[in-house]
Amino acid sequence: MSLTTLYDELSSGLEQGNFDFILKELHQTGFEKCRLKFQQNPLFYEALNQLYIRQKYRGKIKLLIERYKGWIFPHGISLQQSSHPFTAKLKSSLAVKYHTVIDLTGGLGMDSWAFANAGKKVIYVEKNSDIFRFAEYNFGKYLPNVECHNEEALTWLEKNGKSYTRALVYADPARRDTAGNKVFLFHHYQPEPKAILKRCRDLQLDLMLKLSPMADIQYVWKELDPNSKVLVLGVEQEVKELVLLYQPQTQQKYIEIWLCGEEPELLFSGTTTQKAEVPLVDSPEKYVYIPHPALCKIHADTHLAGVHHLRAFHPLAKIYTAEQAYPLKGWRVFETITGTTRLKDITVKEAMIVTGIFPQNASEIRKKHNFNESDITLLVATKSYKNKNLWILAKKIAL
């Protein structure tokens, strides 16, 4: 069976639900037993891999496979660095003014898919031949406005970049070394961000560069471009991406924080914020405030805490309190039930757990003390500025 025939039968089988019997067996017996059972049948074996990937990475690829039921993925490839569909959608909305988007590090195609869905002509570039074959098939079947090239990113850009004027270059350099370990310094990324930026400068092309969410923004400006816009992208209660926007015609040092969802919400925009001093208390007031981690990344939490007269329990805890309830974008607000220095005074067994400065993290506390999840009740564990344990029980309120 040729690869094209295999991909055709695999994709159409997924669209029509022909492999539901494999999915049922996967749920009943697990991946390893299924792998042994189906390894002699190339189609069923590949279908098993596709169903396993869909199960393992459901949160990340759900929207994609709901729209394109026959989309197929290379197996053995991690989707961890692939963009979340909500961040991909936000980034595609920022490409409205461009005729073409050049995705230099195409990978599994999550960002190319989002740009193409936004109506852009997309140039997908990927050096890994195994990944490329799947992407070329998917885009050929579902998104003909994506043009695919199996080539190294900077080599392709050097040869072809001059042909594009109204184009945005997008790049998401690999952030793992050959052993699979995470890397954090930009000169360890592949391809190197500085090299991508230099090539775009030379070609007078705008650049959208995805970086690690762990990267320090001051480090981004120092190492790459001191006058660029940086986007901090969050999904639910996580910081998912840091994105540098290099646009020489409108260069300005600027920060935007977005909470990405079906409808993205801008939480903060402005120049850099300095960490502000916040008054300290050792017991909760009437309300407890938890800022989104994206706000904390640029010290916007302390700035807003100062504006709204919030108080903190510890200078590093990122948990605040006040006598008034304010509707702040990107903040969760809870009404205090009780505050104590002893966990045994807390009698509930269902709570979302948030830790400030504390010896154990939320998962360790949940496991050790057998707390179930809750969408309503909050349990805070932190040290106070007097270095005493502080446990706070609160309930969620709507503002």
Side-chain angles (χ1 to χ4, degrees):
M1 184 186 295
S2 70
L3 271 180
T4 302
T5 302
L6 175 63
Y7 290 173
D8 282 340
E9 292 190 16
L10 179 64
S11 181
S12 62
L14 289 166
E15 287 176 331
Q16 297 165 24
N18 294 347
F19 306 121
D20 288 352
F21 71 97
I22 299 177
L23 180 62
K24 182 178 179 180
E25 189 142 350
L26 177 61
H27 288 152
Q28 290 175 346
T29 65
F31 179 72
E32 288 303 320
K33 287 185 178 180
C34 284
R35 187 174 65 84
L36 292 172
K37 180 173 181 177
F38 296 116
Q39 62 183 351
Q40 299 304 318
N41 185 311
L43 178 60
F44 290 173
Y45 184 74
E46 189 57 57
L48 170 65
N49 282 296
Q50 294 301 316
L51 295 169
Y52 177 71
I53 290 169
R54 290 166 180 234
Q55 186 181 72
K56 183 176 181 180
Y57 295 106
R58 178 170 176 76
K60 185 162 280 192
I61 64 175
K62 179 184 176 184
L63 296 179
L64 175 64
I65 60 177
E66 282 179 351
R67 184 160 186 174
Y68 306 115
K69 297 184 186 303
W71 195 280
I72 55 177
F73 300 89
H75 48 88
I77 304 294
S78 173
L79 273 73
Q80 288 181 334
Q81 191 173 314
S82 293
S83 293
H84 189 285
F86 289 155
T87 63
K89 181 180 178 182
L90 184 280
K91 288 179 288 188
S92 71
S93 73
L94 302 175
V96 173
K97 70 176 183 178
Y98 301 97
H99 178 265
T100 303
V101 177
I102 302 168
D103 187 350
L104 275 187
T105 51
L108 298 175
M110 297 296 287
D111 288 297
S112 287
W113 163 58
F115 288 125
N117 269 332
K120 301 290 119 182
K121 175 177 174 57
V122 177
I123 310 296
Y124 167 97
V125 182
E126 173 54 51
K127 69 176 183 177
N128 183 307
S129 297
D130 294 330
I131 295 174
F132 176 82
R133 281 195 296 269
F134 281 85
E136 185 180 38
Y137 179 84
N138 290 323
F139 290 128
K141 180 173 182 176
Y142 293 115
L143 293 162
N145 54 329
V146 179
E147 178 185 313
C148 299
H149 297 270
N150 186 197
E151 196 164 355
E152 193 276 328
L154 293 178
T155 302
W156 185 93
L157 192 59
E158 178 68 26
K159 291 193 300 186
N160 301 285
K162 291 179 181 177
S163 303
Y164 298 91
T165 52
R166 292 178 57 204
L168 172 70
V169 175
Y170 175 79
D172 178 10
R175 301 191 295 273
R176 289 184 182 269
D177 60 22
T178 53
N181 301 311
K182 287 183 180 180
V183 296
F184 299 98
L185 299 177
F186 291 159
H187 64 270
H188 291 154
Y189 285 27
Q190 287 297 322
E192 287 189 42
K194 276 187 178 180
I196 300 170
L197 182 59
K198 181 180 185 305
R199 199 64 51 86
C200 289
R201 278 197 182 115
D202 294 343
L203 294 167
Q204 297 183 331
L205 292 171
D206 291 0
L207 172 65
M208 181 183 290
L209 183 62
K210 178 180 167 183
L211 304 166
S212 167
M214 304 285 289
D216 180 77
I217 294 178
Q218 298 300 328
Y219 174 65
V220 172
W221 279 322
K222 179 183 176 182
E223 291 294 314
L224 298 178
D225 187 85
N227 296 307
S228 56
K229 179 185 285 188
V230 173
L231 310 178
V232 184
L233 307 184
V235 176
E236 296 179 347
Q237 291 302 311
E238 290 185 74
V239 178
K240 287 292 188 182
E241 298 180 19
L242 213 64
V243 177
L244 177 137
L245 276 178
Y246 169 75
Q247 298 166 310
Q249 290 78 20
T250 57
Q251 281 298 84
Q252 180 186 8
K253 181 181 285 191
Y254 203 74
I255 297 173
E256 289 182 355
I257 297 177
W258 288 90
L259 183 58
C260 301
E262 290 289 353
E263 295 297 330
E265 181 181 14
L266 181 63
L267 300 184
F268 176 88
S269 62
T271 54
T272 56
T273 56
Q274 298 297 320
K275 186 174 182 180
E277 295 294 327
V278 180
L280 300 174
V281 293
D282 60 1
S283 61
E285 298 181 358
K286 188 173 181 179
Y287 298 98
V288 174
Y289 290 76
I290 310 293
H292 194 282
L295 293 169
C296 301
K297 190 167 182 66
I298 65 165
H299 307 305
D301 59 315
T302 62
H303 170 73
L304 292 168
V307 170
H308 294 282
H309 309 292
L310 309 185
R311 294 168 178 78
F313 302 111
H314 188 284
L316 302 177
K318 306 297 183 184
I319 300 169
Y320 300 89
T321 190
E323 287 297 331
Q324 302 294 323
Y326 305 101
L328 304 179
K329 283 186 178 181
W331 294 68
R332 292 178 291 167
V333 184
F334 302 83
E335 185 175 359
T336 303
I337 297 172
T338 188
T340 178
T341 58
R342 302 180 306 174
L343 180 57
K344 66 180 182 180
D345 294 335
I346 305 291
T347 57
V348 301
K349 280 301 177 182
E350 292 184 353
M352 64 183 90
I353 301 175
V354 173
T355 57
I357 301 299
F358 207 72
Q360 292 89 40
N361 62 33
S363 296
E364 291 168 339
I365 293 171
R366 185 176 303 284
K367 183 177 180 181
K368 182 178 179 181
H369 300 285
N370 298 315
F371 280 101
N372 295 319
E373 291 281 0
S374 171
D375 294 328
I376 304 298
T377 306
L378 170 73
L379 178 64
V380 171
T382 186
K383 292 282 187 183
S384 72
Y385 74 97
K386 294 180 179 179
N387 202 36
K388 293 182 178 179
N389 287 351
L390 181 59
W391 300 89
I392 303 166
L393 189 67
K395 63 179 179 180
K396 192 175 182 178
I397 61 170
L399 292 175

